[in-house]
């Protein structure tokens, strides 16, 4: 075996075997195992997210049961139940299940109430948008959350945005309007669905702001926040359902006692609970930037699957609108990632120089 072959075999061994170590002498995870874990997590995120959208569309598209608020309410109830179940399992099997202990505190519930109101708006208008526009147009219909993030960051947090990020938002806006125009040309445009999508996008942005604001109330634990959020929403949805007459609609539903109906409803709630877990898992195994890129790619795959599944014929301009929205979203994520790195590097450099100055007796 010649020198070049030995070099190649050594590189392969370092890549696939646990023979590398960190600067502190700790062994790092083998590349192949790490890559496999990332692939599994990303695949799981895609599967649960896409399945949840299609399943919600199936439940909301029922001509026999026009009760979108009840469907959303039931999913919140399932999430509360799963949180309590996981908390119980964690206390019984502490070494196997890692979940915070949950005990209802009225004070915490009151402090989280503003977020819960935004959360109700977000999930309700998300589902209402999905009900009226379908899965294929759903990505475009709910594409303005990035634009609202920029606007609200400026109005509420007084944070300015770079020119490149604003240009990316301009591309998203252009794709949104082109998509609306092409839906109108195709005769499948629902202005009600578009309005719900815009409101849902606004609520998504507000939800992110309020989440950061109230996280300290639950000691930064996202599962406790999910528990109180869904619990508050479950209670607040009851008077809304009564006012909209959905309880009457529900009791007149001819499949109310069918196991299949409740099975699909429960499955929708499980997916709604699981999406929070796999989202955190994907961020943990990759990074926030990679998570956003993965979410954008997932939306593209979701749109293609919807068009193929329903055998829809779409124009070139319709596909262009989707590409503009997805491309603008991807570019915005990339620009913000680069900006964050530029902010981190100087601060790390200053810290390093400060430490060197303190450690140098000659200064």
């Amino acid at each position: 075996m010649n020198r070049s072959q030995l070099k190649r075999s050594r590189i392969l061994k370092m890549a696939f075997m646990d023979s590398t170590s960190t600067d502190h002498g700790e062994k790092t995870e083998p590349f192949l195992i790490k890559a496999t874990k990332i692939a599994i997590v990303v695949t799981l995120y895609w599967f649960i997210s896409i399945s949840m959208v299609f399943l919600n569309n199936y439940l909301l598209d029922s001509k026999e049961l026009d009760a979108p608020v009840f469907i959303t309410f039931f999913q919140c109830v399932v999430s509360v139940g799963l949180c309590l179940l996981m908390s119980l399992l964690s206390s019984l099997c502490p070494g196997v299940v890692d979940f915070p202990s949950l005990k209802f505190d009225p004070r915490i519930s009151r402090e989280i109430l503003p977020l819960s109101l935004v959360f109700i708006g977000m999930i309700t208008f998300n589902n209402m948008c999905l009900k009226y526009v379908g899965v294929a147009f759903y990505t475009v219909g709910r594409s303005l959350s990035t634009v609202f993030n920029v606007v609200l960051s400026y109005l509420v947090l007084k944070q300015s945005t770079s020119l490149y990020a604003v240009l990316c938002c301009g591309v998203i806006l252009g794709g949104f309007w082109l998509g609306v125009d092409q839906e109108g040309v195709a005769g499948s445009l629902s202005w009600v669905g578009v309005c719900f999508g815009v409101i849902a996008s606004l609520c998504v942005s507000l939800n992110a702001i309020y989440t950061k604001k109230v996280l300290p109330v639950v000691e930064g634990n996202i599962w406790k926040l999910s528990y109180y959020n869904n619990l508050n929403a479950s209670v607040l949805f009851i008077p809304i359902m009564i006012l909209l007459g959905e309880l009457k609609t529900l009791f007149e539903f001819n499949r109310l006692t069918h196991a299949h109906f409740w099975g699909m409803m429960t499955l929708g709630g499980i997916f709604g609970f699981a999406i929070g877990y796999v989202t955190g898992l994907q961020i943990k195994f990759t990074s926030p930037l990679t998570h956003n890129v993965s979410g954008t790619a997932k939306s593209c795959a979701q749109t293609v699957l919807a068009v193929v599944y329903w055998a829809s014929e779409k124009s070139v301009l319709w596909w262009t609108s989707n590409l503009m929205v997805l491309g603008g979203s991807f570019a915005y994520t990339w620009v913000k990632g680069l900006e964050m790195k530029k902010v981190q590097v100087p601060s790390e450099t200053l810290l390093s120089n400060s430490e060197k100055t303190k450690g140098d007796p000659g200064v």
Side-chain angles (χ1 to χ4, degrees):
M1 186 181 290
N2 58 36
R3 185 174 297 175
S4 62
Q5 288 175 323
L6 285 169
K7 189 176 181 180
R8 280 198 298 270
S9 66
R10 195 179 300 117
I11 292 171
L12 287 172
K13 186 177 181 181
M14 288 176 66
F16 294 105
M17 299 297 290
D18 195 4
S19 57
T20 58
S21 60
T22 63
D23 295 335
H24 302 289
E26 297 176 357
K27 287 188 175 182
T28 59
E29 196 170 39
F31 170 78
L32 188 60
I33 294 177
K34 186 176 180 181
T36 303
K37 285 183 178 179
I38 291 173
I40 291 172
V41 168
V42 171
T43 302
L44 190 63
Y45 169 78
W46 278 43
F47 172 75
I48 290 176
S49 183
I50 293 175
S51 298
M52 185 178 69
V53 171
F54 275 87
L55 182 58
N56 280 342
N57 179 253
Y58 166 78
L59 293 170
L60 293 161
D61 199 37
S62 174
K63 300 295 186 293
E64 301 172 354
L65 179 64
D66 186 17
V69 176
F70 168 74
I71 293 170
T72 311
F73 157 78
F74 187 80
Q75 290 177 350
C76 290
V77 172
V78 171
S79 293
V80 172
L82 288 172
C83 283
L84 292 172
L85 177 62
M86 293 297 290
S87 179
L88 177 62
L89 291 174
S90 180
S91 63
L92 295 175
C93 312
V96 180
V97 181
D98 183 19
F99 203 86
S101 176
L102 297 177
K103 185 179 179 181
F104 180 72
D105 187 336
R107 180 190 62 82
I108 296 177
S109 181
R110 285 195 302 271
E111 292 189 33
I112 290 176
L113 189 58
L115 171 64
S116 299
L117 293 172
V118 174
F119 176 71
I120 286 172
M122 182 183 72
I123 58 178
T124 301
F125 288 114
N126 264 343
N127 283 347
M128 294 295 283
C129 173
L130 187 59
K131 175 181 176 66
Y132 285 96
V133 304
V135 178
F137 188 66
Y138 182 63
T139 300
V140 174
R142 273 196 60 259
S143 62
L144 298 184
S145 57
T146 301
V147 178
F148 281 120
N149 280 341
V150 172
V151 174
L152 291 174
S153 295
Y154 179 76
L155 294 176
V156 179
L157 305 176
K158 307 301 179 184
Q159 293 178 350
S160 59
T161 306
S162 67
L163 176 62
Y164 289 117
V166 171
L167 288 175
C168 294
C169 290
V171 174
I172 295 171
L173 271 171
F176 173 78
W177 284 116
L178 181 60
V180 170
D181 175 72
Q182 289 303 299
E183 283 288 301
V185 171
S188 55
L189 177 65
S190 169
W191 279 109
V192 174
V194 171
C195 290
F196 284 147
V198 173
I199 299 172
S201 299
L202 174 61
C203 289
V204 168
S205 301
L206 287 171
N207 187 73
I209 293 173
Y210 276 95
T211 297
K212 290 180 181 179
K213 187 176 180 180
V214 303
L215 261 176
V217 177
V218 289
E219 303 170 343
N221 192 293
I222 202 70
W223 287 118
K224 283 187 178 180
L225 183 62
S226 176
Y227 166 71
Y228 280 102
N229 220 1
N230 282 283
L231 184 61
N232 285 347
S234 299
V235 175
L236 293 171
F237 270 131
I238 294 173
I240 297 174
M241 288 189 295
I242 294 172
L243 288 172
L244 294 176
E246 288 197 1
L247 292 181
K248 181 183 176 182
T249 303
L250 181 65
F251 289 129
E252 293 174 352
F253 183 46
N254 59 7
R255 290 194 289 120
L256 187 61
T257 57
H258 288 201
H260 175 74
F261 168 73
W262 289 109
M264 297 299 283
M265 289 282 287
T266 304
L267 188 61
I270 292 171
F271 277 135
F273 175 82
I275 192 65
Y277 176 74
V278 295
T279 296
L281 207 61
Q282 181 168 249
I283 293 172
K284 176 184 176 181
F285 277 87
T286 58
S287 68
L289 175 64
T290 306
H291 166 67
N292 288 333
V293 172
S294 174
T296 303
K298 186 273 303 180
S299 297
C300 180
Q302 180 178 287
T303 301
V304 173
L305 283 171
V307 172
V308 172
Y309 180 78
W310 280 286
S312 306
E313 291 185 7
K314 302 296 182 181
S315 65
V316 174
L317 286 176
W318 188 91
W319 285 109
T320 302
S321 71
N322 278 266
L323 289 174
M324 288 177 67
V325 165
L326 295 169
S329 300
F330 173 80
Y332 178 85
T333 301
W334 192 260
V335 167
K336 295 302 287 185
L338 291 175
E339 290 175 358
M340 288 175 66
K341 284 183 179 179
K342 286 180 181 178
V343 172
Q344 289 174 355
V345 170
S347 62
E348 289 173 359
T349 304
L350 286 171
L351 181 62
S352 177
N353 290 338
S354 174
E355 289 175 349
K356 287 179 180 178
T357 303
K358 291 178 182 177
D360 190 351
V363 177

